[in-house]
Amino acid sequence: MPATPHLLPRRPSRSLLLALVAALLLLSATTTITAPAAAAGEPARTSGRQGALPTAALTEVANFGTNPSNLRMYLYVPESVTAKPAIVVAMHWCTGSGPDMYNGTEYDTLADRYGFIVLYPSVTRGSKCFDVSSPQALRRGGGSDPVGIKSMIDWTTRTYGADPGRIFATGISSGAMMTNVLLGDYPDVFAAGAAFSGVPFGCFATTDGSEWNSACSGGTVIRTPKAWGDLVRGAYPGYTGPRPRMQIWHGTQDDVLRHPNFGEQIKQWTDVQGVSRTPAATDTPQSGWTRTRYGGTGDRAPVEAVSLQGVGHNLYAPGMASRVLTFFGLDASGPAPQPQPGACRVTASVNAWSTGLTASVTLTNTGTTAVDGWKLGFALPAGQAITGGWGATYAPTSGSVTATNAPYNGIIAPGASVSIGYQASHTGNSATPAAFTLNGTACAAG
């Protein structure tokens, strides 16, 4: 059945919204975020056909595909959409909706400027919270909200010829938790995510049908980085491709999803990315903010985290969406720049036998400046575990592995190469890793 669009009225002026936000925040005393939003009117029914939705207006799309939890889909398409546009999935807080997220954030006006499409999923269950706790939600294709959101993305990609390599997720509170879940369930779909006041993937897991996990919200669920990373890897067993980058925002005085969840997310996503938990860069982009970057020092580091001193759960403010776009790489006219693999090239080969293998890896610096100290990240195929190696130290021994230079080969001149290798056991899959990163930057293969 073709998708059916319903046009929504344009939201009130931004100044009116901000005045309303101030009043709402003063009145808020609940355990869910009172987000910066204004209620939107009910959609006026209009006719439409797939691929011919109105532009520069929030439009509801029905019959978009598999939707086990009865989500509603709202879409914003700018008048000047780029060829092969990016998609930003923007998700609301508990008690909110897709139109509230549209009204309370600037993603649509930024889409007007940069030509991407914004998708606003909307929960219909009574709590208006996304399902981030059920077993179905925490595995790829398991059902519930993630499957419906994936259907929305597929519909939008087909209809507008969107770039499948530039799909992003962001959210506030419950939407931030769903951002973590989506990046875990569908690492092959999302390029990056940005979570405002969220918790790690799997932290809110329950088996009793409850939507709330008090231990997680209270910041008392503490795990090792590998344990957190294993929860993400377990959502899509056997996946060995690149993982989405993650940007994390949290207030130190958050009394709904307490601040320890900020550090636990850092532990989780640095492990998933296979990068050091020692910040590669630390700065203060704004008074009271501490920003740390892991695995890289630039705007598109594998993991970026911003802690806001003295700020509570309702931390989202105008201007933050622009910082999200910088992290996503969408703050430029036309198609955004893609990760540049030209600084390095990796070739890998395997000699395998019944239960073991030896892998040989050659890393070449194809850039114009010397590499002084390197970390080579890669994901071991499922069932493999490193038992020994040379030319580098390897940790951990399975999953997302980081090979760190030895004292004698840390400098790689332009055009030069270094050869390393490892032995590993396997349970039947003796393939080489599918992708490599050098200090957080993707490398070309072959």
Side-chain angles (χ1 to χ4, degrees):
M1 181 182 295
T4 306
H6 313 298
L7 184 64
L8 274 78
R10 186 72 175 182
R11 64 177 171 282
S13 69
R14 193 74 69 181
S15 59
L16 177 60
L17 286 173
L18 292 177
L20 179 59
V21 170
L24 287 173
L25 290 177
L26 288 172
L27 293 172
S28 174
T30 65
T31 59
T32 55
I33 185 169
T34 306
E42 285 301 308
R45 298 276 175 176
T46 64
S47 61
R49 62 180 178 83
Q50 182 167 323
L53 273 64
T55 59
L58 187 65
T59 306
E60 183 176 5
V61 179
N63 305 317
F64 51 81
T66 304
N67 185 22
S69 54
N70 196 33
L71 298 176
R72 296 173 74 173
M73 172 183 174
Y74 297 91
L75 202 66
Y76 183 84
V77 181
E79 289 184 355
S80 299
V81 66
T82 62
K84 296 197 70 177
I87 299 172
V88 173
V89 183
M91 291 168 287
H92 63 79
W93 49 93
C94 287
T95 75
S97 68
D100 289 340
M101 189 71 178
Y102 164 77
N103 285 328
T105 59
E106 311 97 312
Y107 292 107
D108 63 311
T109 57
L110 292 168
D112 290 339
R113 185 183 310 169
Y114 299 119
F116 58 87
I117 294 172
V118 193
L119 169 58
Y120 300 93
S122 194
V123 174
T124 59
R125 64 178 62 87
S127 66
K128 301 299 176 66
C129 297
F130 286 99
D131 176 13
V132 296
S133 58
S134 74
Q136 293 79 17
L138 296 175
R139 67 177 186 271
R140 179 185 179 85
S144 196
D145 295 349
V147 168
I149 295 171
K150 175 64 162 53
S151 295
M152 297 178 194
I153 293 168
D154 290 344
W155 186 92
T156 306
T157 301
R158 290 193 307 269
T159 303
Y160 291 94
D163 184 347
R166 294 195 297 144
I167 297 172
F168 304 89
T170 186
I172 300 171
S173 191
S174 181
M177 292 192 274
M178 179 52 72
T179 297
N180 279 267
V181 168
L182 288 174
L183 267 59
D185 285 355
Y186 296 102
D188 54 331
V189 171
F190 293 94
F196 291 84
S197 303
V199 303
F201 177 100
C203 185
F204 243 61
T206 61
T207 56
D208 60 2
S210 169
E211 294 182 51
W212 193 258
N213 185 318
S214 296
C216 179
S217 66
T220 63
V221 178
I222 307 298
R223 293 188 168 98
T224 66
K226 183 178 184 303
W228 281 125
D230 285 347
L231 287 177
V232 172
R233 290 182 284 270
Y236 187 7
Y239 177 73
T240 60
R243 294 281 178 172
R245 297 177 299 110
M246 175 61 93
Q247 185 186 61
I248 305 161
W249 299 73
H250 221 104
T252 61
Q253 299 302 310
D254 192 328
D255 60 355
V256 178
L257 301 173
R258 294 191 179 273
H259 192 256
N261 285 299
F262 176 70
E264 298 304 294
Q265 287 176 90
I266 293 172
K267 287 159 63 174
Q268 182 170 68
W269 291 105
T270 53
D271 183 81
V272 168
Q273 284 283 349
V275 299
S276 172
R277 287 180 298 282
T278 300
T282 302
D283 64 358
T284 304
Q286 188 167 310
S287 178
W289 294 13
T290 300
R291 178 172 62 187
T292 48
R293 288 168 167 166
Y294 304 84
T297 60
D299 289 334
R300 302 181 70 184
V303 179
E304 180 176 283
V306 186
S307 180
L308 283 66
Q309 183 65 38
V311 176
H313 190 61
N314 300 298
L315 66 79
Y316 182 86
M320 291 180 176
S322 293
R323 294 181 180 272
V324 170
L325 290 197
T326 296
F327 180 74
F328 288 172
L330 295 181
D331 57 346
S333 299
Q338 298 300 293
Q340 296 300 310
C344 53
R345 183 174 62 252
V346 173
T347 58
S349 61
V350 163
N351 179 22
W353 58 94
S354 57
T355 59
L357 60 87
T358 298
S360 298
V361 179
T362 299
L363 167 63
T364 302
N365 175 9
T366 57
T368 58
T369 60
V371 175
D372 187 357
W374 52 265
K375 293 180 181 293
L376 187 67
F378 56 93
L380 277 183
Q384 293 186 18
I386 292 176
T387 57
W390 62 92
T393 57
Y394 299 84
T397 57
S398 62
S400 294
V401 176
T402 299
T404 303
N405 66 268
Y408 60 85
N409 64 3
I411 298 177
I412 312 175
S417 300
V418 62
S419 294
I420 63 174
Y422 57 87
Q423 298 94 17
S425 60
H426 69 82
T427 58
N429 183 355
S430 60
T432 59
F436 294 84
T437 60
L438 172 63
N439 295 342
T441 298
C443 293

